[in-house]
Amino acid sequence: MKIGVFGGTFDPVHNGHINAFAETYIGLELDQVIIVPTFTSPLKKQAGSSDSHRLNMLKLAVENYDFAEIDTFEIDQQEVTYTFDTLKYLREKYPDDDLYFIIGTDHFISFDKWKNADKLHELAKFTVLDRNDELYNVKPPFIKLNTNIVEVSSTLIRERVKTNTEVRHLMPEEVYGYIKEQRLYET
Ligand code: ATP
């Protein structure tokens, strides 16, 4: 099987994330996508929301996609986990499958700084979502996936909620409802 792996803070999950994993599913003809929310240290937390809120929002967003599922490995560790360790865990869980780790260009640029960057390619095929404009020099062993990008970030959503600016169109309706109900990101 070809399995996509998509890690992130998802604070909150938004249409850019959903577009990213769904387009990769189509573009690479994947069988499944596993979404791995990061643990965030309560000490470092600023305007963000708790692990349980982030997970609840992710569940609401992902339940409509039968090819996608959430793996809480990183949150369960209760400490900051490196992609290297997460991929070792997934390699053991799915020994016979090909793993495709999905990243945006922001992470591609800083990839050299990741723990065991050189060894990461032995664990998964890193797939960089990029537009057609050839701005980034994505070369093997990275896979470049030309796709449309939905220009939205969690930072933008958090800032807009704080200033009471419209954000409804940037995420699934269920996630928007959850943010309003729980009054997330207001202060
Ligand atoms: P923040 O604004 O809080 O930094 P973010 O919107 O960048 O958050 P993350 O949870 O940090 O979201 O991102 C998880 C993964 O999704 C990363 O690989 C990131 O590159 C990718 N990503 C984030 N936003 C988009 C987008 N609009 N289109 C495609 N990929 C995205």
Side-chain angles (χ1 to χ4, degrees):
M1 282 217 304
K2 293 169 72 174
I3 301 177
V5 182
F6 192 40
T9 316
F10 305 114
D11 193 12
V13 60
H14 53 64
N15 290 343
H17 296 133
I18 292 164
N19 178 69
F21 76 69
E23 287 296 327
T24 311
Y25 171 73
I26 298 167
L28 297 184
E29 299 182 326
L30 301 175
D31 297 291
Q32 190 186 351
V33 176
I34 296 172
I35 300 173
V36 187
T38 54
F39 168 78
T40 50
S41 163
L43 295 174
K44 286 194 183 158
K45 197 167 289 304
Q46 294 174 346
S49 60
S50 67
D51 289 347
S52 64
H53 281 320
R54 291 187 298 112
L55 190 55
N56 287 342
M57 291 188 281
L58 202 51
K59 283 179 183 163
L60 290 171
V62 167
E63 67 189 2
N64 297 326
Y65 297 88
D66 57 3
F67 62 84
E69 67 177 63
I70 299 165
D71 190 307
T72 58
F73 171 75
E74 295 196 5
I75 288 178
D76 295 343
Q77 302 304 300
Q78 284 298 301
E79 60 181 15
V80 175
T81 310
Y82 294 98
T83 298
F84 181 75
D85 300 307
T86 305
L87 281 175
K88 277 205 304 195
Y89 152 78
L90 289 172
R91 275 262 59 96
E92 277 176 29
K93 191 170 174 186
Y94 304 99
D96 300 324
D97 300 307
D98 289 328
L99 300 178
Y100 293 80
F101 196 92
I102 304 162
I103 55 174
T105 47
D106 52 338
H107 286 182
F108 171 68
I109 291 165
S110 61
F111 191 84
D112 287 348
K113 300 195 183 81
W114 289 23
K115 181 184 166 190
N116 295 341
D118 47 336
K119 295 208 183 87
L120 283 170
H121 296 295
E122 294 165 15
L123 298 171
K125 300 176 205 304
F126 281 78
T127 306
V128 185
L129 302 185
D130 199 2
R131 291 187 214 85
N132 268 320
D133 51 17
E134 304 286 337
L135 265 183
Y136 301 93
N137 193 13
V138 180
K139 283 191 187 145
F142 290 94
I143 296 172
K144 174 173 165 143
L145 184 68
N146 284 334
T147 185
N148 65 315
I149 301 285
V150 176
E151 293 287 355
V152 52
S153 69
S154 302
T155 305
L156 176 79
I157 292 172
R158 293 194 302 272
E159 285 171 358
R160 283 194 174 174
V161 172
K162 209 171 181 175
T163 55
N164 213 9
T165 308
E166 189 62 74
V167 290
R168 192 174 201 139
H169 56 301
L170 302 176
M171 68 198 88
E173 185 64 22
E174 296 89 343
V175 175
Y176 176 78
Y178 187 92
I179 289 173
K180 289 289 138 192
E181 183 191 288
Q182 300 289 334
R183 309 197 63 170
L184 302 182
Y185 314 120
E186 288 183 7
T187 53

